Amino acid sequence: MCRHRLARTVLLIAVCLCLNALSPLRLFAETGYEAWLRYAPLDDSTRQKYASLPASVTILGDSPVLHSAQEELIRGVRGMLGRTLGAAKGEPKESAFVLGTVGNVPGLRSRSDIGADGFWLTSGRINGFDCIIVAGNNERGVLYGVFALLSKIAHGENLASLDEVQQPYAPIRWVNQWDNLDGRIERGYAGRSIFFDNGSVRTDLSRVRDYARLLASIGLNGCTINNVNADPKVLADDFLPQLARVADALRPWGIQMAISVQFSSPKTMGGLDTFDPLDPRVIDWWRKKAEQIYQQIPDFGGFVVKADSEGQLGPSAYGRTPADAANVIARALKQHGGVVFYRAFVYNHHLDWRDPKNDRAKAAYENFHPLDGKFDDNVIIQIKHGPIDFQVREPVSPLFSGLEKTNQAIELQVTQEYTGQQRHLCFLAPMWEEVLDFDLRIANHSTPVKEVISGRTFRRPIGGFVAVVNVGMDKNWLGHPLAMANLYAYGRLAWDPNLSAPTIVDEWTRLTFGSDPLVVKTISDMQLNSWHVYESYTGPLGAGTLTDILESHYGPGVEASERNGWGQWHRADHDGIGMDRTVATGTGFVAQYPSVVAKMYESLASTPEELLLFFHHVPYTHVLRSSKTVIQHIYDSHYEGAEHAQQFVEQWKSLRGHIDDVRYAATLARLEYQAGHAIVWRDAICNWFLRTSGIADTKGRVGHYPDRVEAEAMQLHGYEPVEVSPPETASQGKAVQCPPSAQKCTAIFQFKGPAGWYVLDVQYFDQNNGESKFQVRVGDQLVDEWTANDHLPATKIGGDSSTRRRIPGLALRPGDQIRIDGVPDQAERAPLDYVEIRSEDRR
Ligand code: GCU
């Protein structure tokens, strides 16, 4: 009896110990919603370090921002140290954390070296009590200081001799959301809008408040909440109170709100018969509209304007300039303290592609450089980082060097429009770092882009950073659990562009997944490699992302950019590839850069190879520094990239048990998908170039797939073969699908290899206009079944919808019959491409 009880007790203790060991991982429902603000409990020894911290937090003032700062400190300390600080107001009556602006903290010497939004973390005695002081230049600075303090605690840093001043590199640190009022988000990949639904501002704005908190935690200070392709209704009288509700939700976190407006609004919704910026009625209309807005939103940030671009009307309709357009709005905002972000993304999308001198890359500089000095001081020209459009690799926009008397902001993209749409891992900080550090050599002086855009180089009053983010209603904000590293990195770089990508990813990983060394090393390594990996299978050597530029911007589509007016040309033909942008023989774009940079790009020999095809047209046989020809480089880079994408899966699997199950599984699913889709990219691009150039892969891989059984070559019951267009987006250009009349279709083949353990990859197409079901049998045994419901951006068979189901650990014997049954649904006809069978020993 006694022995029995003892055994039970031992068992119980073992179970408890076990649960305890796992508890830091299991305690939270880790959906990713908390992002880097998890405030996960610190281990006991780290907690010990903070045993003598004050027990209360007092604020010197009564504003919403100070209250946020106080609540955040309480929340963070409670989460990490398991203690609830007392909340107080006014001068400390005990040892306390003291939060206030510099001038308000009793006894604190004034400092002239803390700029707007900056803060000072220090300690000292106030009223005879030992205090930890967070002193901001302004209230936002206090808030940023609190986040910085919490981050120090999360990293286990010593607070004993705290004395640190930090300030942001530039005043403008904004995000743009491309949300439509109906709730959809243009180029958003993580669900519907957190701001709007069905034509109105959402009733429940709790996610907006939480988003504002995330933005504030990385030092961001403004948010434009609607699509740059703006709905005129956003300025309607009855919509303004709704906007005021959003501003109220953002304000406690120091986030100013702005909106995108149609430049034609005075006419499209304002009742005038013109929107000519020089017409006195138009001038008056903008003035009154601004007044009306500021009555309801006193701290309104201003307007973003996309005009004369991609179908948006602009000043050219009246023969006026972007400066005329920007200034009429800027003057209406000026007395209220508002600004205009006028976008430099102005180009003709009906360019004649037959003219070799035409070049979309030249547009921004040609449109804006001649107007330098003509813009009012509260206008900021918002410039995409490259001259085309967020491609996987571009040189920096030459316009940064062409505006010496005009405020600028760089526009980056957190939403991964051309970089995998948060289905592929693509950490962009290394790209942004290169862009920001790029030395334009203006007047032959060191002039890195970061110094120019922040206003330092030309002593501009304002300037800085904007990023298109497009978070959505998905629980984890951006869809892919690892994609939030991009938002974090953007904020950190806008605060301090001298931070390095490895430093940033290390911080992000620790805050998001904890400090287990294996976790930190593995995730950092994956993130830091991911941009190059994505580039290597989607657009090497600076050709641009070789995607379907006409629709999804997602899967492979080499020809979509050619022979049309959009100007995203790579000019690949039978003999060679690349846009000749030189002065000597090409479009002359190179001349827009300052002379040192222009000289570098003008010559083939000195152009960095990762941008070779952006600046030069070369034959496929052109030999690179690696001694490889361009065509062989294209083949090799796609094979290496796809291999590397598969390694991400293996790397991630090494973290099993080291992070919580929910985020582990969600990430694994995305990485496995990516590994499959990287093969789709590899095969599509390589086969297109093989067909076009006629030059074989020296390694014999392209066009030869000995492990594949094509669906069209199987024994088909119900299924019918279809030609796929473009052909390179399906294996051998063909697939099979069920005709409209069929309820169920079957494809059968016989396994011919030796007996053993195999991995079976079923390559099929998952459209978003139906949810087909698939079953796989070996003989009579059902070995796998699934539903095609991944909501990929595709309504047809092709490179966007092509995906795979991996069935590992399958015992096969010669002669085994493998059978796939597909049950179509609506417009998705259970389409199949091929089955690839590989021995497990070869993996
Ligand atoms: C890209 C994007 C559009 C967007 C545009 C812009 O072209 O695909 O959806 O409207 O950029 O930045 O204005």
Side-chain angles (χ1 to χ4, degrees):
M1 190 71 164
C2 201
R3 267 212 350 245
H4 191 67
R5 214 179 296 144
L6 184 69
R8 263 182 45 194
T9 315
V10 169
L11 188 73
L12 260 175
I13 293 172
V15 168
C16 287
L17 281 176
C18 214
L19 283 176
N20 217 15
L22 293 174
S23 64
L25 300 177
R26 315 263 157 175
L27 265 178
F28 299 95
E30 295 270 9
T31 58
Y33 189 74
E34 299 293 336
W36 50 85
L37 295 179
R38 290 157 66 240
Y39 301 134
L42 298 178
D43 60 47
D44 286 346
S45 69
T46 317
R47 280 187 184 202
Q48 266 314 312
K49 273 199 204 166
Y50 301 110
S52 58
L53 284 185
S56 70
V57 48
T58 188
I59 47 174
L60 306 175
D62 201 15
S63 72
V65 172
L66 285 179
H67 279 282
S68 297
Q70 184 179 45
E71 280 157 27
E72 193 66 28
L73 192 66
I74 293 172
R75 178 177 181 162
V77 168
R78 186 193 291 135
M80 292 187 285
L81 304 178
R83 296 199 208 149
T84 302
L85 300 174
K89 226 182 270 176
E91 293 193 12
K93 299 188 179 59
E94 60 179 328
S95 170
F97 289 95
V98 177
L99 316 183
T101 48
V102 179
N104 281 346
V105 181
L108 198 64
R109 73 184 157 89
S110 69
R111 294 181 67 143
S112 56
D113 59 340
I114 310 176
D117 291 357
F119 60 81
W120 180 16
L121 304 180
T122 185
S123 49
R125 284 181 80 76
I126 303 180
N127 297 346
F129 304 111
D130 285 330
C131 293
I132 291 184
I133 303 161
V134 180
N137 164 288
N138 51 17
E139 289 180 345
R140 250 196 224 127
V142 180
L143 185 58
Y144 300 151
V146 162
F147 280 114
L149 188 66
L150 288 168
S151 172
K152 284 181 185 302
I153 298 176
H155 289 109
E157 286 177 37
N158 199 341
L159 303 183
S161 48
L162 198 59
D163 185 16
E164 180 176 323
V165 169
Q166 274 195 44
Q167 51 210 332
Y169 192 82
I172 299 290
R173 303 181 306 279
W174 280 66
V175 296
N176 284 183
Q177 287 279 140
W178 287 353
D179 298 30
N180 295 316
L181 307 193
D182 66 5
R184 288 172 306 139
I185 304 181
E186 177 146 341
R187 314 297 175 194
Y189 311 108
R192 289 172 64 78
S193 171
I194 62 170
F195 297 97
F196 309 107
D197 191 27
N198 204 15
S200 305
V201 166
R202 281 182 184 277
T203 316
D204 176 4
L205 291 179
S206 51
R207 283 199 66 147
V208 173
R209 278 187 284 278
D210 289 345
Y211 183 38
R213 174 173 163 253
L214 281 176
L215 297 179
S217 74
I218 42 176
L220 298 171
N221 59 4
C223 178
T224 305
I225 61 174
N226 63 313
N227 193 351
V228 283
N229 300 310
D231 186 329
K233 188 183 156 193
V234 77
L235 283 175
D237 296 351
D238 60 355
F239 204 75
L240 300 185
Q242 300 196 40
L243 293 179
R245 286 185 43 238
V246 180
D248 290 347
L250 298 172
R251 188 173 299 114
W253 298 98
I255 305 292
Q256 262 192 304
M257 189 193 75
I259 53 171
S260 298
V261 292
Q262 263 193 4
F263 183 67
S264 54
S265 296
K267 185 171 172 187
T268 46
M269 54 78 61
L272 300 187
D273 58 5
T274 177
F275 58 93
D276 178 352
L278 301 192
D279 187 307
R281 291 169 299 153
V282 171
I283 297 171
D284 197 49
W285 188 89
W286 283 110
R287 193 182 49 75
K288 286 196 179 123
K289 191 46 85 181
E291 254 164 30
Q292 207 187 348
I293 294 176
Y294 278 93
Q295 266 161 20
Q296 299 182 50
I297 311 170
D299 57 352
F300 181 68
F303 297 132
V304 172
V305 180
K306 171 177 178 178
D308 282 323
S309 169
E310 298 185 334
Q312 298 295 320
L313 294 173
S316 69
Y318 299 92
R320 311 296 185 203
T321 68
D324 296 328
N327 291 345
V328 65
I329 305 182
R331 285 168 198 162
L333 296 168
K334 173 99 179 168
Q335 56 163 316
H336 308 286
V339 296
V340 175
F341 294 89
Y342 199 95
R343 298 181 79 231
F345 190 61
V346 175
Y347 70 102
N348 170 7
H349 68 280
H350 298 292
L351 277 182
D352 181 1
W353 56 270
R354 290 172 201 85
D355 183 344
K357 292 287 173 201
N358 276 345
D359 188 356
R360 165 171 162 185
K362 292 197 283 191
Y365 191 93
E366 281 177 351
N367 283 310
F368 287 84
H369 170 66
L371 300 172
D372 188 23
K374 300 224 159 59
F375 293 93
D376 284 8
D377 262 3
N378 60 332
V379 175
I380 298 158
I381 304 300
Q382 184 169 318
I383 308 169
K384 288 194 184 186
H385 65 82
I388 299 289
D389 191 7
F390 301 130
Q391 301 298 286
V392 68
R393 168 108 41 188
E394 293 183 49
V396 305
S397 171
L399 184 56
F400 296 126
S401 60
L403 295 176
E404 303 191 359
K405 294 179 255 120
T406 307
N407 304 321
Q408 316 183 16
I410 191 169
E411 183 179 308
L412 304 170
Q413 228 191 17
V414 166
T415 193
Q416 296 169 226
E417 177 181 353
Y418 283 97
T419 51
Q421 305 189 353
Q422 287 114 266
R423 290 181 181 273
H424 292 235
L425 180 66
C426 193
F427 179 55
L428 293 164
M431 176 208 271
W432 298 335
E433 212 183 352
E434 280 185 22
V435 168
L436 294 168
D437 288 345
F438 185 83
D439 190 351
L440 289 157
R441 303 299 304 171
I442 302 172
N444 212 6
H445 285 107
S446 164
T447 42
V449 168
K450 60 190 170 196
E451 290 185 9
V452 178
I453 52 122
S454 62
R456 292 168 183 228
T457 308
F458 299 115
R459 298 180 197 287
R460 299 301 311 162
I462 40 175
F465 302 79
V466 177
V468 183
V469 179
N470 294 353
V471 297
M473 288 296 280
D474 277 10
K475 198 68 187 163
N476 67 9
W477 301 98
L478 282 175
H480 195 310
L482 302 185
M484 283 292 269
N486 281 326
L487 178 55
Y488 183 83
Y490 165 65
R492 298 291 287 137
L493 284 172
W495 182 270
D496 180 3
N498 295 319
L499 288 170
S500 74
T503 304
I504 294 172
V505 81
D506 182 273
E507 281 176 20
W508 176 80
T509 308
R510 287 173 196 276
L511 296 172
T512 307
F513 288 103
S515 289
D516 177 334
L518 180 71
V519 171
V520 176
K521 185 175 176 321
T522 306
I523 295 182
S524 299
D525 185 69
M526 291 169 65
Q527 294 273 25
L528 291 171
N529 282 318
S530 59
W531 169 45
H532 290 292
V533 170
Y534 188 77
E535 178 183 30
S536 66
Y537 62 80
T538 61
L541 299 176
T545 313
L546 298 172
T547 188
D548 175 4
I549 71 138
L550 297 174
E551 287 180 31
S552 64
H553 299 189
Y554 181 59
V558 191
E559 285 193 40
S561 52
E562 298 308 293
R563 290 175 291 283
N564 59 45
W566 289 94
Q568 276 183 233
W569 309 315
H570 49 66
R571 303 281 198 207
D573 59 16
H574 180 63
D575 303 313
I577 176 170
M579 273 288 284
D580 183 352
R581 293 187 156 107
T582 62
V583 176
T585 53
T587 67
F589 164 75
V590 162
Q592 294 183 343
Y593 289 98
S595 58
V596 176
V597 176
K599 199 166 158 219
M600 171 175 74
Y601 290 143
E602 180 72 12
S603 144
L604 187 66
S606 56
T607 300
E609 276 184 347
E610 64 271 14
L611 283 171
L612 184 76
L613 304 179
F614 192 92
F615 287 107
H616 301 279
H617 185 85
V618 294
Y620 291 118
T621 49
H622 173 80
V623 179
L624 299 168
R625 277 165 219 141
S626 61
S627 306
K628 276 183 198 174
T629 59
V630 164
I631 191 77
Q632 194 56 40
H633 178 94
I634 291 175
Y635 296 145
D636 287 354
S637 129
H638 282 80
Y639 273 82
E640 283 157 20
E643 279 284 308
H644 210 132
Q646 180 58 39
Q647 278 165 30
F648 287 155
V649 175
E650 310 309 327
Q651 280 182 281
W652 187 256
K653 282 184 175 165
S654 74
L655 301 185
R656 185 157 183 201
H658 290 258
I659 60 172
D660 59 284
D661 292 346
V662 178
R663 288 184 302 170
Y664 173 80
T667 307
L668 182 61
R670 294 254 161 168
L671 293 171
E672 282 180 335
Y673 165 79
Q674 176 182 358
H677 200 227
I679 292 174
V680 175
W681 266 96
R682 180 197 77 188
D683 292 350
I685 303 293
C686 289
N687 280 299
W688 189 90
F689 279 100
L690 174 64
R691 195 175 72 228
T692 308
S693 72
I695 303 174
D697 166 23
T698 55
K699 298 185 184 149
R701 299 156 300 187
V702 182
H704 302 111
Y705 310 99
D707 299 328
R708 279 184 197 175
V709 183
E710 297 293 335
E712 60 275 13
M714 296 176 194
Q715 201 185 319
L716 303 178
H717 302 275
Y719 269 125
E720 289 176 354
V722 282
E723 302 283 332
V724 175
S725 169
E728 67 274 9
T729 58
S731 196
Q732 309 299 345
K734 291 191 178 64
V736 302
Q737 67 173 351
C738 283
S741 54
Q743 310 279 315
K744 179 178 170 185
C745 298
T746 301
I748 300 174
F749 66 97
Q750 259 189 8
F751 176 66
K752 299 212 174 84
W757 293 99
Y758 289 88
V759 183
L760 200 121
D761 286 332
V762 180
Q763 196 73 25
Y764 65 105
F765 301 90
D766 187 346
Q767 303 163 197
N768 59 19
N769 48 3
E771 299 196 351
S772 309
K773 292 192 166 51
F774 293 93
Q775 290 190 327
V776 178
R777 287 185 169 74
V778 176
D780 290 333
Q781 189 189 356
L782 180 67
V783 294
D784 199 10
E785 58 185 331
W786 69 95
T787 303
N789 58 1
D790 201 10
H791 307 289
L792 295 167
T795 52
K796 65 183 191 67
I797 292 176
D800 292 337
S801 56
S802 184
T803 186
R804 78 177 180 194
R805 177 81 174 187
R806 171 156 285 185
I807 310 172
L810 209 55
L812 294 177
R813 287 159 206 84
D816 273 349
Q817 191 183 69
I818 300 176
R819 168 190 168 122
I820 304 170
D821 292 312
V823 177
D825 177 48
Q826 301 169 63
E828 185 187 78
R829 310 306 301 165
L832 274 179
D833 193 357
Y834 63 85
V835 171
E836 190 161 291
I837 307 177
R838 276 165 310 114
S839 162
E840 282 208 328
D841 307 339
R842 271 170 46 203
R843 296 196 58 233

